[in-house]
Amino acid sequence: MAKLNFDKVPKKDKLDTEQTRKSLTYWQDVWRRLKKNKSSMVGLVGVVIIVLLAVVGPWISPYDYSDQLSDYSNLPPRLDIREVGDTTFHVTRIYRLLELEDGIIVDRYNELEVDVINKINYYAKEIVLPADLENTSTYPLPATETLDANTYYSESWGIALTDGEYTFGDDAILVTYIHPDSPLHNLEFEGGPYDISDAVYFSELTTIANYGEANAADQQFDIDLGAESIVEKLDETQFIEEIRFFEAEVKLNYSYGLLNDNLVPTEFKDVDYTIEYKGDESLYTTDTIANKLFYFGSDSQGRDILTRVLYGARISLIVALIATLVNFIIGVTYGAVAGYLGGNWDNVMMRIVDIINSIPLVLWVILLMVVLREVVIDVTIAGKNYVIFRGTSGLGTIAIALGTVYWVAMARLVRGQVLGLKEQEFVLVARTIGVSNYKIISRHLIPNALGPIIVSMAMMIPAAVFTEAFLSFIGLGVSAPQASLGTLANAALSGFQSYPFKLFFPAAMIALMMLAFNFLGDGLRDALDPRLRKG
């Protein structure tokens, strides 16, 4: 063949990337190859974010996992709002009326009347003024003021009341006049002065302390007795602890759905309900905004779902940490000893592993919960008592269950690795020069099997997270009011069709945690296996 049929390859092209790259240690090379795997880096970033949120999130949250705001239960992450005049409202699925300011829920209106037949609800905002006022003067009615025959005036407190009724017909006591010097003018509400002339209805929930005689029991007004009786009691009252009023009524009208289509007025054909307040009326949803009080919504007890999801993630990570430590300490040690000793030792130790592995995890957890239910372990340090373990909490029982059975897979893996490594020349040399079995296992065998061990531990973490969530889901996990992702998912099932967000967020957190750890574990498997090197 002619010489011209060949082209010489330049020397630089003969070297692949493995030959030309800078010399690295084993772990530097692992990190270099791990960074090249995009999915593993996504998983690593996800793991870091989840850990930070689980550790720091519950601390910086304005709520605790057990805080209950019952007035704001079952709120979704996004709120449909109605603007009626200068006031913004949100109506919940269970017909609660909430007021918003700048997109933040500030108050729940009291339900005055529910007309179930006609589907009309009446509400009013209750103003609670912490008075702590003592009767020290009188406030005669000024000559310039004229009150009608149905109005009664209390000179002791400078307030005029008259008999009236709510729109729906119930008796009410209306506030018609406040003396300019009345002590009721100086009261504060939500950090600022409140003008009682804005109030409309006097509430029977107003607390009178030391009514009549000294040391008498606290009493409340009875609206049914009428304005005259209320004024008489006010004149005899020495001290008012707090005073309550209702502002103007809000009317929610759902009756259009009861009418036949031909009877519904044209302008109300596509109206679900109307809101009437201070002469203004709203027919349609104005906007949909984020829930700034509970970003993930609230549960049936008015607890913040975001805080509880973060706390549940913390519980899952604690379980994962326990499983990891148990795997590394017990599983690695047990498997390494069994594989190195071999013979009868290996047979006996592996049969113990088979017996433990044959026990169903759920049955084992149930048995432990029965046995440990009454067990409480506490210590006293510097005069303070700290509970280390409480059998009824659930978390400690799961930790013990995983700690006693979760290491068997790791023991089998390490045993298999050690059986192959102990026949290598470096182990024979170590034996020849008199190195103890302990040092051979700890300094030669386990470090050389570390790659598969790390990969297995990374893969077992999401399995431990799912196991904890599953056990909590079926009622074998942490006890109320503690939050676990499994218990959150279980609690959301009953109202899934009405409140799907309560199941979505804990389920999404479980999925994200498992995906992040699985992506990271898959990348570690590729990076730690020298046979998968591709430069």
Side-chain angles (χ1 to χ4, degrees):
M1 188 177 291
K3 182 178 181 181
L4 295 178
N5 290 343
F6 295 93
D7 292 327
K8 292 185 177 181
V9 178
K11 185 176 181 181
K12 64 182 182 63
D13 294 337
K14 295 180 181 180
L15 301 176
D16 60 23
T17 54
E18 283 287 318
Q19 293 171 304
T20 58
R21 65 178 174 82
K22 179 182 176 182
S23 177
L24 301 173
T25 65
Y26 174 73
W27 292 108
Q28 288 174 332
D29 188 51
V30 168
W31 174 240
R32 178 185 65 83
R33 282 182 283 129
L34 184 65
K35 289 190 295 184
K36 288 186 176 182
N37 191 323
K38 294 182 179 179
S39 62
S40 65
M41 294 309 296
V42 171
L44 178 60
V45 172
V47 168
V48 172
I49 292 175
I50 290 172
V51 171
L52 288 176
L53 288 175
V55 174
V56 180
W59 287 346
I60 63 177
S61 172
Y63 309 101
D64 187 65
Y65 68 86
S66 59
D67 288 345
Q68 298 183 19
L69 300 176
S70 56
D71 285 344
Y72 306 133
S73 61
N74 293 322
L75 291 181
R78 297 190 63 80
L79 306 173
D80 295 331
I81 60 172
R82 297 280 189 101
E83 293 183 359
V84 189
D86 297 330
T87 309
T88 302
F89 293 109
H90 168 71
V91 181
T92 69
R93 294 180 64 93
I94 55 176
Y95 306 112
R96 287 178 176 172
L97 185 65
L98 307 178
E99 181 185 352
L100 293 85
E101 289 183 5
D102 299 325
I104 301 176
I105 300 172
V106 294
D107 201 1
R108 174 190 169 184
Y109 279 43
N110 284 47
E111 202 171 69
L112 298 178
E113 178 71 13
V114 177
D115 188 343
V116 178
I117 297 177
N118 297 314
K119 300 191 73 171
I120 299 176
N121 296 359
Y122 297 89
Y123 304 84
K125 183 177 182 178
E126 185 180 35
I127 306 300
V128 182
L129 304 174
D132 291 337
L133 297 177
E134 188 175 359
N135 186 356
T136 58
S137 182
T138 58
Y139 308 93
L141 183 69
T144 56
E145 296 292 335
T146 303
L147 303 179
D148 58 41
N150 295 324
T151 302
Y152 301 90
Y153 182 72
S154 170
E155 292 190 356
S156 298
W157 298 98
I159 185 172
L161 306 176
T162 186
D163 291 315
E165 62 181 22
Y166 293 105
T167 304
F168 49 88
D170 282 5
D171 292 336
I173 304 298
L174 279 67
V175 179
T176 56
Y177 173 75
I178 297 288
H179 192 283
D181 298 326
S182 171
L184 300 178
H185 268 311
N186 300 321
L187 304 180
E188 289 194 358
F189 178 70
E190 295 180 350
Y194 182 80
D195 187 359
I196 290 185
S197 61
D198 292 337
V200 178
Y201 305 103
F202 195 82
S203 172
E204 63 183 351
L205 297 178
T206 297
T207 301
I208 309 172
N210 297 332
Y211 166 69
E213 300 178 0
N215 300 321
D218 293 351
Q219 298 186 22
Q220 294 177 340
F221 294 111
D222 186 356
I223 298 299
D224 295 335
L225 297 178
E228 183 178 10
S229 175
I230 298 298
V231 168
E232 289 177 358
K233 283 192 176 182
L234 281 173
D235 287 337
E236 298 172 357
T237 297
Q238 304 297 318
F239 185 86
I240 294 180
E241 183 177 337
E242 65 179 18
I243 190 165
R244 297 176 179 235
F245 296 93
F246 286 124
E247 291 186 342
E249 296 172 61
V250 183
K251 178 181 177 182
L252 265 66
N253 190 343
Y254 296 87
S255 63
Y256 305 105
L258 299 176
L259 302 176
N260 294 327
D261 291 341
N262 58 338
L263 298 178
V264 179
T266 304
E267 63 271 22
F268 295 99
K269 288 291 185 183
D270 56 348
V271 173
D272 295 327
Y273 63 90
T274 62
I275 301 181
E276 299 177 33
Y277 182 54
K278 293 184 178 179
D280 295 314
E281 185 177 33
S282 171
L283 306 182
Y284 305 101
T285 297
T286 306
D287 197 4
T288 301
I289 63 173
N291 185 345
K292 296 181 181 179
L293 188 64
F294 305 110
Y295 289 100
F296 281 9
S298 60
D299 65 6
S300 59
Q301 305 297 323
R303 295 172 295 198
D304 182 32
I305 291 180
L306 173 58
T307 303
R308 291 176 65 78
V309 166
L310 294 178
Y311 189 85
R314 178 189 290 182
I315 295 292
S316 295
L317 289 176
I318 291 174
V319 172
L321 177 62
I322 293 172
T324 302
L325 292 176
V326 168
N327 275 329
F328 190 78
I329 297 173
I330 301 179
V332 172
T333 304
Y334 193 94
V337 171
Y340 180 73
L341 296 179
N344 291 332
W345 282 101
D346 183 31
N347 289 330
V348 172
M349 294 178 74
M350 286 301 102
R351 296 301 73 78
I352 295 175
V353 166
D354 292 338
I355 293 173
I356 295 175
N357 196 42
S358 66
I359 302 174
L361 181 59
V362 175
L363 176 60
W364 183 236
V365 173
I366 294 174
L367 292 174
L368 285 177
M369 291 187 71
V370 172
V371 173
L372 302 176
R373 180 175 299 171
E374 304 299 330
V375 177
V376 177
I377 302 175
D378 56 357
V379 295
T380 302
I381 302 176
K384 292 185 178 180
N385 187 265
Y386 299 92
V387 177
I388 300 177
F389 174 83
R390 189 187 301 276
T392 56
S393 68
L395 179 59
T397 305
I398 291 180
I400 293 176
L402 293 180
T404 51
V405 303
Y406 214 66
W407 54 269
V408 293
M410 178 64 74
R412 284 176 168 172
L413 172 69
V414 175
R415 170 185 173 270
Q417 293 291 319
V418 170
L419 285 175
L421 290 171
K422 73 176 185 177
E423 304 299 333
Q424 299 294 322
E425 289 80 358
F426 66 90
V427 177
L428 178 60
V429 171
R431 287 177 177 173
T432 303
I433 62 176
V435 178
S436 65
N437 291 339
Y438 170 76
K439 289 186 177 180
I440 291 176
I441 292 174
S442 61
R443 295 188 180 182
H444 296 288
L445 296 179
I446 292 178
N448 279 280
L450 207 54
I453 291 173
I454 293 175
V455 172
S456 179
M457 289 172 59
M459 291 298 191
M460 284 183 176
I461 289 176
V465 170
F466 185 79
T467 300
E468 184 277 328
F470 168 72
L471 292 173
S472 297
F473 182 80
I474 63 176
L476 300 178
V478 299
S479 303
Q482 286 184 313
S484 166
L485 297 177
T487 56
L488 291 178
N490 178 275
L493 277 183
S494 58
F496 173 69
Q497 291 185 338
S498 299
Y499 309 105
F501 63 91
K502 293 198 288 186
L503 178 61
F504 171 79
F505 290 110
M509 178 59 79
I510 294 173
L512 289 174
M513 292 179 73
M514 296 192 67
L515 284 174
F517 281 108
N518 276 315
F519 283 160
L520 179 59
D522 189 63
L524 287 172
R525 182 197 62 194
D526 295 342
L528 289 165
D529 193 342
R531 296 172 295 179
L532 298 177
R533 289 185 180 178
K534 297 179 182 179

